[in-house]
PDB file of all heavy atoms in Angstrom:
ATOM      1  N   ALA A   1     -15.218   5.751  11.908  1.00 98.00           N
ATOM      2  CA  ALA A   1     -15.294   7.280  11.929  1.00 98.00           C
ATOM      3  C   ALA A   1     -13.974   7.703  12.442  1.00 98.00           C
ATOM      4  O   ALA A   1     -13.499   7.352  13.698  1.00 98.00           O
ATOM      5  CB  ALA A   1     -16.347   7.813  12.865  1.00 98.00           C
ATOM      6  N   GLY A   2     -13.263   8.733  11.751  1.00 98.00           N
ATOM      7  CA  GLY A   2     -11.996   9.217  12.213  1.00 98.00           C
ATOM      8  C   GLY A   2     -10.759   8.311  11.898  1.00 98.00           C
ATOM      9  O   GLY A   2      -9.577   8.669  12.223  1.00 98.00           O
ATOM     10  N   GLY A   3     -10.975   7.196  11.211  1.00 98.00           N
ATOM     11  CA  GLY A   3      -9.927   6.321  10.843  1.00 98.00           C
ATOM     12  C   GLY A   3      -9.153   6.471   9.671  1.00 98.00           C
ATOM     13  O   GLY A   3      -9.666   7.206   8.856  1.00 98.00           O
ATOM     14  N   ILE A   4      -8.121   5.662   9.542  1.00 98.00           N
ATOM     15  CA  ILE A   4      -7.372   5.498   8.288  1.00 98.00           C
ATOM     16  C   ILE A   4      -7.178   4.080   7.926  1.00 98.00           C
ATOM     17  O   ILE A   4      -6.664   3.297   8.781  1.00 98.00           O
ATOM     18  CB  ILE A   4      -5.979   6.215   8.481  1.00 98.00           C
ATOM     19  CG1 ILE A   4      -6.216   7.805   8.679  1.00 98.00           C
ATOM     20  CG2 ILE A   4      -5.156   6.076   7.071  1.00 98.00           C
ATOM     21  CD1 ILE A   4      -4.774   8.467   9.020  1.00 98.00           C
ATOM     22  N   VAL A   5      -7.634   3.603   6.706  1.00 98.00           N
ATOM     23  CA  VAL A   5      -7.510   2.379   6.340  1.00 98.00           C
ATOM     24  C   VAL A   5      -6.321   2.039   5.479  1.00 98.00           C
ATOM     25  O   VAL A   5      -5.819   2.930   4.703  1.00 98.00           O
ATOM     26  CB  VAL A   5      -8.856   1.876   5.520  1.00 98.00           C
ATOM     27  CG1 VAL A   5      -8.781   0.464   5.102  1.00 98.00           C
ATOM     28  CG2 VAL A   5     -10.030   2.166   6.340  1.00 98.00           C
ATOM     29  N   TYR A   6      -5.695   0.846   5.620  1.00 98.00           N
ATOM     30  CA  TYR A   6      -4.573   0.471   4.861  1.00 98.00           C
ATOM     31  C   TYR A   6      -4.821  -0.828   4.252  1.00 98.00           C
ATOM     32  O   TYR A   6      -4.935  -1.830   4.822  1.00 98.00           O
ATOM     33  CB  TYR A   6      -3.318   0.416   5.793  1.00 98.00           C
ATOM     34  CG  TYR A   6      -1.956   0.241   5.138  1.00 98.00           C
ATOM     35  CD1 TYR A   6      -1.102   1.285   4.950  1.00 98.00           C
ATOM     36  CD2 TYR A   6      -1.540  -1.031   4.752  1.00 98.00           C
ATOM     37  CE1 TYR A   6       0.156   1.154   4.182  1.00 98.00           C
ATOM     38  CE2 TYR A   6      -0.221  -1.216   4.192  1.00 98.00           C
ATOM     39  CZ  TYR A   6       0.496  -0.172   3.961  1.00 98.00           C
ATOM     40  OH  TYR A   6       1.738  -0.379   3.334  1.00 98.00           O
ATOM     41  N   GLU A   7      -4.917  -0.884   2.827  1.00 98.00           N
ATOM     42  CA  GLU A   7      -5.224  -2.067   2.165  1.00 98.00           C
ATOM     43  C   GLU A   7      -3.820  -2.770   1.816  1.00 98.00           C
ATOM     44  O   GLU A   7      -2.914  -2.206   1.164  1.00 98.00           O
ATOM     45  CB  GLU A   7      -5.978  -1.708   0.889  1.00 98.00           C
ATOM     46  CG  GLU A   7      -6.455  -2.959   0.203  1.00 98.00           C
ATOM     47  CD  GLU A   7      -7.025  -2.552  -1.274  1.00 98.00           C
ATOM     48  OE1 GLU A   7      -6.543  -1.678  -1.830  1.00 98.00           O
ATOM     49  OE2 GLU A   7      -8.006  -3.165  -1.622  1.00 98.00           O
ATOM     50  N   LEU A   8      -3.770  -4.062   2.004  1.00 98.00           N
ATOM     51  CA  LEU A   8      -2.605  -4.908   1.700  1.00 98.00           C
ATOM     52  C   LEU A   8      -2.970  -6.168   1.174  1.00 98.00           C
ATOM     53  O   LEU A   8      -4.059  -6.805   1.451  1.00 98.00           O
ATOM     54  CB  LEU A   8      -1.631  -4.858   2.779  1.00 98.00           C
ATOM     55  CG  LEU A   8      -2.016  -5.525   4.101  1.00 98.00           C
ATOM     56  CD1 LEU A   8      -1.660  -7.173   4.059  1.00 98.00           C
ATOM     57  CD2 LEU A   8      -1.323  -5.038   5.356  1.00 98.00           C
ATOM     58  N   HIS A   9      -1.979  -6.812   0.374  1.00 98.00           N
ATOM     59  CA  HIS A   9      -2.106  -8.163   0.006  1.00 98.00           C
ATOM     60  C   HIS A   9      -1.077  -8.982   0.577  1.00 98.00           C
ATOM     61  O   HIS A   9       0.184  -8.749   0.515  1.00 98.00           O
ATOM     62  CB  HIS A   9      -1.879  -8.217  -1.618  1.00 98.00           C
ATOM     63  CG  HIS A   9      -1.817  -9.577  -2.188  1.00 98.00           C
ATOM     64  ND1 HIS A   9      -0.587 -10.231  -2.527  1.00 98.00           N
ATOM     65  CD2 HIS A   9      -2.769 -10.473  -2.570  1.00 98.00           C
ATOM     66  CE1 HIS A   9      -0.891 -11.410  -3.063  1.00 98.00           C
ATOM     67  NE2 HIS A   9      -2.131 -11.614  -3.142  1.00 98.00           N
ATOM     68  N   ILE A  10      -1.403 -10.034   1.276  1.00 98.00           N
ATOM     69  CA  ILE A  10      -0.508 -10.736   2.149  1.00 98.00           C
ATOM     70  C   ILE A  10       0.645 -11.336   1.212  1.00 98.00           C
ATOM     71  O   ILE A  10       1.810 -11.253   1.729  1.00 98.00           O
ATOM     72  CB  ILE A  10      -1.111 -11.860   2.874  1.00 98.00           C
ATOM     73  CG1 ILE A  10      -2.228 -11.415   3.972  1.00 98.00           C
ATOM     74  CG2 ILE A  10      -0.135 -12.815   3.415  1.00 98.00           C
ATOM     75  CD1 ILE A  10      -1.468 -10.643   5.090  1.00 98.00           C
ATOM     76  N   GLY A  11       0.359 -11.851   0.145  1.00 98.00           N
ATOM     77  CA  GLY A  11       1.486 -12.478  -0.579  1.00 98.00           C
ATOM     78  C   GLY A  11       2.470 -11.539  -1.189  1.00 98.00           C
ATOM     79  O   GLY A  11       3.624 -11.999  -1.441  1.00 98.00           O
ATOM     80  N   THR A  12       2.272 -10.213  -1.309  1.00 98.00           N
ATOM     81  CA  THR A  12       3.254  -9.297  -1.780  1.00 98.00           C
ATOM     82  C   THR A  12       3.632  -8.227  -0.876  1.00 98.00           C
ATOM     83  O   THR A  12       4.375  -7.380  -1.237  1.00 98.00           O
ATOM     84  CB  THR A  12       2.759  -8.663  -3.164  1.00 98.00           C
ATOM     85  OG1 THR A  12       1.394  -8.079  -2.928  1.00 98.00           O
ATOM     86  CG2 THR A  12       2.730  -9.744  -4.269  1.00 98.00           C
ATOM     87  N   PHE A  13       2.954  -8.197   0.336  1.00 98.00           N
ATOM     88  CA  PHE A  13       3.297  -7.064   1.277  1.00 98.00           C
ATOM     89  C   PHE A  13       4.693  -7.292   1.900  1.00 98.00           C
ATOM     90  O   PHE A  13       5.414  -6.277   2.057  1.00 98.00           O
ATOM     91  CB  PHE A  13       2.248  -7.151   2.396  1.00 98.00           C
ATOM     92  CG  PHE A  13       2.484  -6.023   3.489  1.00 98.00           C
ATOM     93  CD1 PHE A  13       2.318  -4.735   3.138  1.00 98.00           C
ATOM     94  CD2 PHE A  13       2.576  -6.566   4.791  1.00 98.00           C
ATOM     95  CE1 PHE A  13       2.442  -3.722   4.200  1.00 98.00           C
ATOM     96  CE2 PHE A  13       2.669  -5.475   5.740  1.00 98.00           C
ATOM     97  CZ  PHE A  13       2.728  -4.212   5.448  1.00 98.00           C
ATOM     98  N   THR A  14       5.213  -8.511   2.040  1.00 98.00           N
ATOM     99  CA  THR A  14       6.515  -8.707   2.548  1.00 98.00           C
ATOM    100  C   THR A  14       7.253  -9.695   1.633  1.00 98.00           C
ATOM    101  O   THR A  14       6.629 -10.312   0.774  1.00 98.00           O
ATOM    102  CB  THR A  14       6.439  -9.406   3.931  1.00 98.00           C
ATOM    103  OG1 THR A  14       5.808 -10.779   3.839  1.00 98.00           O
ATOM    104  CG2 THR A  14       5.592  -8.550   4.958  1.00 98.00           C
ATOM    105  N   PRO A  15       8.594  -9.837   1.728  1.00 98.00           N
ATOM    106  CA  PRO A  15       9.255 -10.733   0.936  1.00 98.00           C
ATOM    107  C   PRO A  15       8.932 -12.281   1.179  1.00 98.00           C
ATOM    108  O   PRO A  15       8.881 -13.074   0.273  1.00 98.00           O
ATOM    109  CB  PRO A  15      10.767 -10.577   1.365  1.00 98.00           C
ATOM    110  CG  PRO A  15      10.791  -9.234   1.869  1.00 98.00           C
ATOM    111  CD  PRO A  15       9.596  -8.949   2.546  1.00 98.00           C
ATOM    112  N   GLU A  16       8.381 -12.516   2.378  1.00 98.00           N
ATOM    113  CA  GLU A  16       8.020 -13.888   2.751  1.00 98.00           C
ATOM    114  C   GLU A  16       6.713 -14.233   2.301  1.00 98.00           C
ATOM    115  O   GLU A  16       6.274 -15.322   2.069  1.00 98.00           O
ATOM    116  CB  GLU A  16       8.175 -14.085   4.320  1.00 98.00           C
ATOM    117  CG  GLU A  16       9.480 -13.886   4.865  1.00 98.00           C
ATOM    118  CD  GLU A  16       9.686 -12.393   5.171  1.00 98.00           C
ATOM    119  OE1 GLU A  16       8.893 -11.548   4.839  1.00 98.00           O
ATOM    120  OE2 GLU A  16      10.801 -12.170   5.799  1.00 98.00           O
ATOM    121  N   GLY A  17       5.782 -13.128   2.179  1.00 98.00           N
ATOM    122  CA  GLY A  17       4.445 -13.361   1.760  1.00 98.00           C
ATOM    123  C   GLY A  17       3.452 -14.119   2.615  1.00 98.00           C
ATOM    124  O   GLY A  17       2.672 -14.957   2.190  1.00 98.00           O
ATOM    125  N   THR A  18       3.658 -13.975   3.960  1.00 98.00           N
ATOM    126  CA  THR A  18       2.971 -14.734   4.940  1.00 98.00           C
ATOM    127  C   THR A  18       2.277 -13.787   5.918  1.00 98.00           C
ATOM    128  O   THR A  18       2.652 -12.775   6.138  1.00 98.00           O
ATOM    129  CB  THR A  18       3.869 -15.816   5.734  1.00 98.00           C
ATOM    130  OG1 THR A  18       4.741 -15.043   6.465  1.00 98.00           O
ATOM    131  CG2 THR A  18       4.602 -16.710   4.796  1.00 98.00           C
ATOM    132  N   LEU A  19       1.329 -14.337   6.698  1.00 98.00           N
ATOM    133  CA  LEU A  19       0.565 -13.678   7.712  1.00 98.00           C
ATOM    134  C   LEU A  19       1.613 -13.358   8.810  1.00 98.00           C
ATOM    135  O   LEU A  19       1.457 -12.234   9.362  1.00 98.00           O
ATOM    136  CB  LEU A  19      -0.611 -14.516   8.222  1.00 98.00           C
ATOM    137  CG  LEU A  19      -1.883 -14.467   7.159  1.00 98.00           C
ATOM    138  CD1 LEU A  19      -2.658 -15.688   7.400  1.00 98.00           C
ATOM    139  CD2 LEU A  19      -2.727 -13.154   7.495  1.00 98.00           C
ATOM    140  N   ASP A  20       2.442 -14.220   9.185  1.00 98.00           N
ATOM    141  CA  ASP A  20       3.298 -13.961  10.335  1.00 98.00           C
ATOM    142  C   ASP A  20       4.343 -12.836   9.935  1.00 98.00           C
ATOM    143  O   ASP A  20       4.673 -11.967  10.656  1.00 98.00           O
ATOM    144  CB  ASP A  20       4.001 -15.193  10.672  1.00 98.00           C
ATOM    145  CG  ASP A  20       3.181 -16.300  11.364  1.00 98.00           C
ATOM    146  OD1 ASP A  20       2.249 -15.668  12.023  1.00 98.00           O
ATOM    147  OD2 ASP A  20       3.427 -17.532  11.286  1.00 98.00           O
ATOM    148  N   ALA A  21       4.818 -12.778   8.622  1.00 98.00           N
ATOM    149  CA  ALA A  21       5.757 -11.693   8.270  1.00 98.00           C
ATOM    150  C   ALA A  21       4.881 -10.439   8.237  1.00 98.00           C
ATOM    151  O   ALA A  21       5.529  -9.404   8.500  1.00 98.00           O
ATOM    152  CB  ALA A  21       6.171 -12.101   6.824  1.00 98.00           C
ATOM    153  N   ALA A  22       3.705 -10.472   7.761  1.00 98.00           N
ATOM    154  CA  ALA A  22       2.852  -9.140   7.758  1.00 98.00           C
ATOM    155  C   ALA A  22       2.720  -8.721   9.171  1.00 98.00           C
ATOM    156  O   ALA A  22       2.813  -7.418   9.425  1.00 98.00           O
ATOM    157  CB  ALA A  22       1.600  -9.425   7.041  1.00 98.00           C
ATOM    158  N   ALA A  23       2.508  -9.518  10.064  1.00 98.00           N
ATOM    159  CA  ALA A  23       2.281  -9.165  11.507  1.00 98.00           C
ATOM    160  C   ALA A  23       3.526  -8.342  12.043  1.00 98.00           C
ATOM    161  O   ALA A  23       3.407  -7.495  12.913  1.00 98.00           O
ATOM    162  CB  ALA A  23       1.947 -10.477  12.277  1.00 98.00           C
ATOM    163  N   ALA A  24       4.684  -8.876  11.648  1.00 98.00           N
ATOM    164  CA  ALA A  24       5.886  -8.242  11.986  1.00 98.00           C
ATOM    165  C   ALA A  24       6.086  -6.786  11.528  1.00 98.00           C
ATOM    166  O   ALA A  24       6.936  -6.104  12.024  1.00 98.00           O
ATOM    167  CB  ALA A  24       7.097  -9.045  11.574  1.00 98.00           C
ATOM    168  N   ARG A  25       5.226  -6.470  10.452  1.00 98.00           N
ATOM    169  CA  ARG A  25       5.339  -5.070  10.019  1.00 98.00           C
ATOM    170  C   ARG A  25       4.265  -4.123  10.425  1.00 98.00           C
ATOM    171  O   ARG A  25       4.170  -2.976  10.019  1.00 98.00           O
ATOM    172  CB  ARG A  25       5.279  -5.132   8.406  1.00 98.00           C
ATOM    173  CG  ARG A  25       6.366  -5.825   7.847  1.00 98.00           C
ATOM    174  CD  ARG A  25       7.602  -5.221   7.566  1.00 98.00           C
ATOM    175  NE  ARG A  25       8.584  -5.855   6.926  1.00 98.00           N
ATOM    176  CZ  ARG A  25       9.867  -5.389   6.580  1.00 98.00           C
ATOM    177  NH1 ARG A  25      10.039  -4.233   7.013  1.00 98.00           N
ATOM    178  NH2 ARG A  25      10.657  -6.113   5.948  1.00 98.00           N
ATOM    179  N   LEU A  26       3.424  -4.641  11.491  1.00 98.00           N
ATOM    180  CA  LEU A  26       2.360  -3.881  11.861  1.00 98.00           C
ATOM    181  C   LEU A  26       2.791  -2.639  12.605  1.00 98.00           C
ATOM    182  O   LEU A  26       2.071  -1.479  12.542  1.00 98.00           O
ATOM    183  CB  LEU A  26       1.438  -4.619  12.830  1.00 98.00           C
ATOM    184  CG  LEU A  26       0.730  -5.879  12.135  1.00 98.00           C
ATOM    185  CD1 LEU A  26      -0.005  -6.637  13.328  1.00 98.00           C
ATOM    186  CD2 LEU A  26      -0.278  -5.372  11.220  1.00 98.00           C
ATOM    187  N   GLY A  27       3.883  -2.518  13.199  1.00 98.00           N
ATOM    188  CA  GLY A  27       4.380  -1.280  13.790  1.00 98.00           C
ATOM    189  C   GLY A  27       4.630  -0.211  12.857  1.00 98.00           C
ATOM    190  O   GLY A  27       4.420   1.056  13.026  1.00 98.00           O
ATOM    191  N   HIS A  28       4.877  -0.527  11.487  1.00 98.00           N
ATOM    192  CA  HIS A  28       5.057   0.452  10.455  1.00 98.00           C
ATOM    193  C   HIS A  28       3.734   1.188  10.246  1.00 98.00           C
ATOM    194  O   HIS A  28       3.716   2.394  10.087  1.00 98.00           O
ATOM    195  CB  HIS A  28       5.551  -0.194   9.188  1.00 98.00           C
ATOM    196  CG  HIS A  28       5.401   0.601   7.953  1.00 98.00           C
ATOM    197  ND1 HIS A  28       6.370   1.575   7.681  1.00 98.00           N
ATOM    198  CD2 HIS A  28       4.424   0.691   6.924  1.00 98.00           C
ATOM    199  CE1 HIS A  28       5.992   2.116   6.533  1.00 98.00           C
ATOM    200  NE2 HIS A  28       4.820   1.613   6.078  1.00 98.00           N
ATOM    201  N   LEU A  29       2.643   0.422  10.255  1.00 98.00           N
ATOM    202  CA  LEU A  29       1.369   0.974   9.992  1.00 98.00           C
ATOM    203  C   LEU A  29       0.903   1.842  11.121  1.00 98.00           C
ATOM    204  O   LEU A  29       0.310   2.899  11.005  1.00 98.00           O
ATOM    205  CB  LEU A  29       0.251  -0.105   9.860  1.00 98.00           C
ATOM    206  CG  LEU A  29       0.760  -1.229   8.781  1.00 98.00           C
ATOM    207  CD1 LEU A  29      -0.709  -2.174   8.546  1.00 98.00           C
ATOM    208  CD2 LEU A  29       1.002  -0.553   7.559  1.00 98.00           C
ATOM    209  N   VAL A  30       1.186   1.424  12.398  1.00 98.00           N
ATOM    210  CA  VAL A  30       0.930   2.260  13.552  1.00 98.00           C
ATOM    211  C   VAL A  30       1.650   3.613  13.495  1.00 98.00           C
ATOM    212  O   VAL A  30       1.179   4.715  13.774  1.00 98.00           O
ATOM    213  CB  VAL A  30       1.314   1.474  14.814  1.00 98.00           C
ATOM    214  CG1 VAL A  30       1.213   2.368  16.084  1.00 98.00           C
ATOM    215  CG2 VAL A  30       0.396   0.255  15.043  1.00 98.00           C
ATOM    216  N   ASP A  31       2.869   3.431  12.971  1.00 98.00           N
ATOM    217  CA  ASP A  31       3.790   4.625  12.839  1.00 98.00           C
ATOM    218  C   ASP A  31       3.345   5.707  11.982  1.00 98.00           C
ATOM    219  O   ASP A  31       3.551   6.915  12.099  1.00 98.00           O
ATOM    220  CB  ASP A  31       5.120   4.187  12.607  1.00 98.00           C
ATOM    221  CG  ASP A  31       6.285   5.197  12.680  1.00 98.00           C
ATOM    222  OD1 ASP A  31       6.079   6.099  13.716  1.00 98.00           O
ATOM    223  OD2 ASP A  31       7.166   5.332  11.900  1.00 98.00           O
ATOM    224  N   ILE A  32       2.589   5.242  10.893  1.00 97.00           N
ATOM    225  CA  ILE A  32       2.034   6.188   9.932  1.00 97.00           C
ATOM    226  C   ILE A  32       0.689   6.602  10.177  1.00 97.00           C
ATOM    227  O   ILE A  32      -0.052   7.288   9.481  1.00 97.00           O
ATOM    228  CB  ILE A  32       2.213   5.745   8.469  1.00 97.00           C
ATOM    229  CG1 ILE A  32       1.377   4.331   8.247  1.00 97.00           C
ATOM    230  CG2 ILE A  32       3.649   5.543   8.033  1.00 97.00           C
ATOM    231  CD1 ILE A  32       1.418   3.834   6.821  1.00 97.00           C
ATOM    232  N   GLY A  33       0.098   6.146  11.294  1.00 98.00           N
ATOM    233  CA  GLY A  33      -1.205   6.573  11.715  1.00 98.00           C
ATOM    234  C   GLY A  33      -2.397   5.879  11.296  1.00 98.00           C
ATOM    235  O   GLY A  33      -3.634   6.152  11.414  1.00 98.00           O
ATOM    236  N   VAL A  34      -2.087   4.684  10.807  1.00 98.00           N
ATOM    237  CA  VAL A  34      -3.216   3.702  10.340  1.00 98.00           C
ATOM    238  C   VAL A  34      -4.025   3.189  11.480  1.00 98.00           C
ATOM    239  O   VAL A  34      -3.437   2.913  12.617  1.00 98.00           O
ATOM    240  CB  VAL A  34      -2.623   2.518   9.596  1.00 98.00           C
ATOM    241  CG1 VAL A  34      -3.614   1.491   9.308  1.00 98.00           C
ATOM    242  CG2 VAL A  34      -2.075   2.961   8.178  1.00 98.00           C
ATOM    243  N   THR A  35      -5.229   3.024  11.256  1.00 98.00           N
ATOM    244  CA  THR A  35      -6.165   2.505  12.401  1.00 98.00           C
ATOM    245  C   THR A  35      -6.843   1.113  11.997  1.00 98.00           C
ATOM    246  O   THR A  35      -7.118   0.396  12.832  1.00 98.00           O
ATOM    247  CB  THR A  35      -7.388   3.453  12.703  1.00 98.00           C
ATOM    248  OG1 THR A  35      -8.104   3.782  11.533  1.00 98.00           O
ATOM    249  CG2 THR A  35      -6.806   4.783  13.312  1.00 98.00           C
ATOM    250  N   HIS A  36      -6.950   0.936  10.647  1.00 98.00           N
ATOM    251  CA  HIS A  36      -7.716  -0.328  10.113  1.00 98.00           C
ATOM    252  C   HIS A  36      -6.872  -0.926   9.086  1.00 98.00           C
ATOM    253  O   HIS A  36      -6.389  -0.194   8.107  1.00 98.00           O
ATOM    254  CB  HIS A  36      -9.066  -0.050   9.600  1.00 98.00           C
ATOM    255  CG  HIS A  36     -10.076   0.461  10.589  1.00 98.00           C
ATOM    256  ND1 HIS A  36      -9.934   1.674  11.319  1.00 98.00           N
ATOM    257  CD2 HIS A  36     -11.147  -0.193  11.009  1.00 98.00           C
ATOM    258  CE1 HIS A  36     -11.049   1.688  12.062  1.00 98.00           C
ATOM    259  NE2 HIS A  36     -11.810   0.689  11.991  1.00 98.00           N
ATOM    260  N   VAL A  37      -6.374  -2.049   9.268  1.00 98.00           N
ATOM    261  CA  VAL A  37      -5.575  -2.842   8.097  1.00 98.00           C
ATOM    262  C   VAL A  37      -6.719  -3.747   7.397  1.00 98.00           C
ATOM    263  O   VAL A  37      -7.332  -4.603   8.075  1.00 98.00           O
ATOM    264  CB  VAL A  37      -4.443  -3.650   8.703  1.00 98.00           C
ATOM    265  CG1 VAL A  37      -4.848  -4.506   9.885  1.00 98.00           C
ATOM    266  CG2 VAL A  37      -3.787  -4.391   7.690  1.00 98.00           C
ATOM    267  N   GLU A  38      -6.731  -3.504   6.207  1.00 98.00           N
ATOM    268  CA  GLU A  38      -7.696  -4.276   5.309  1.00 98.00           C
ATOM    269  C   GLU A  38      -6.931  -5.334   4.449  1.00 98.00           C
ATOM    270  O   GLU A  38      -6.093  -4.900   3.700  1.00 98.00           O
ATOM    271  CB  GLU A  38      -8.509  -3.391   4.428  1.00 98.00           C
ATOM    272  CG  GLU A  38      -9.533  -4.061   3.570  1.00 98.00           C
ATOM    273  CD  GLU A  38     -10.247  -3.020   2.675  1.00 98.00           C
ATOM    274  OE1 GLU A  38     -10.796  -2.097   3.186  1.00 98.00           O
ATOM    275  OE2 GLU A  38     -10.325  -3.338   1.438  1.00 98.00           O
ATOM    276  N   LEU A  39      -7.198  -6.561   4.650  1.00 98.00           N
ATOM    277  CA  LEU A  39      -6.528  -7.661   3.899  1.00 98.00           C
ATOM    278  C   LEU A  39      -7.325  -8.094   2.646  1.00 98.00           C
ATOM    279  O   LEU A  39      -8.606  -8.316   2.742  1.00 98.00           O
ATOM    280  CB  LEU A  39      -6.474  -8.853   4.817  1.00 98.00           C
ATOM    281  CG  LEU A  39      -5.637  -8.787   6.047  1.00 98.00           C
ATOM    282  CD1 LEU A  39      -5.484 -10.042   6.855  1.00 98.00           C
ATOM    283  CD2 LEU A  39      -4.296  -8.045   5.971  1.00 98.00           C
ATOM    284  N   LEU A  40      -6.691  -8.076   1.474  1.00 98.00           N
ATOM    285  CA  LEU A  40      -7.280  -8.677   0.410  1.00 98.00           C
ATOM    286  C   LEU A  40      -7.608 -10.038   0.724  1.00 98.00           C
ATOM    287  O   LEU A  40      -7.140 -10.653   1.623  1.00 98.00           O
ATOM    288  CB  LEU A  40      -6.384  -8.536  -0.861  1.00 98.00           C
ATOM    289  CG  LEU A  40      -6.573  -7.332  -1.750  1.00 98.00           C
ATOM    290  CD1 LEU A  40      -6.211  -6.072  -1.094  1.00 98.00           C
ATOM    291  CD2 LEU A  40      -5.684  -7.494  -3.060  1.00 98.00           C
ATOM    292  N   PRO A  41      -8.527 -10.772  -0.158  1.00 98.00           N
ATOM    293  CA  PRO A  41      -9.086 -12.079   0.167  1.00 98.00           C
ATOM    294  C   PRO A  41      -7.987 -13.092   0.538  1.00 98.00           C
ATOM    295  O   PRO A  41      -7.006 -13.181  -0.188  1.00 98.00           O
ATOM    296  CB  PRO A  41      -9.927 -12.491  -0.981  1.00 98.00           C
ATOM    297  CG  PRO A  41     -10.276 -11.075  -1.641  1.00 98.00           C
ATOM    298  CD  PRO A  41      -9.186 -10.220  -1.343  1.00 98.00           C
TER     299      PRO A  41
END
């Protein structure tokens, strides 16, 4: 309730396509007001 979800695919979210690379971009999501990050399978 009150949240904002951000859907992403690990393999294409970053040039590296890894979970560690995606973790390095989490600040971007916080900056735009996201509260929940949803990962494709």
Side-chain angles (χ1 to χ4, degrees):
I4 298 174
V5 182
Y6 188 96
E7 186 189 34
L8 67 86
H9 174 262
I10 290 295
T12 51
F13 182 58
T14 65
E16 301 86 352
T18 65
L19 285 152
D20 287 332
R25 299 282 185 175
L26 292 175
H28 168 80
L29 306 189
V30 174
D31 192 39
I32 59 175
V34 168
T35 60
H36 293 68
V37 54
E38 180 179 311
L39 305 183
L40 267 65

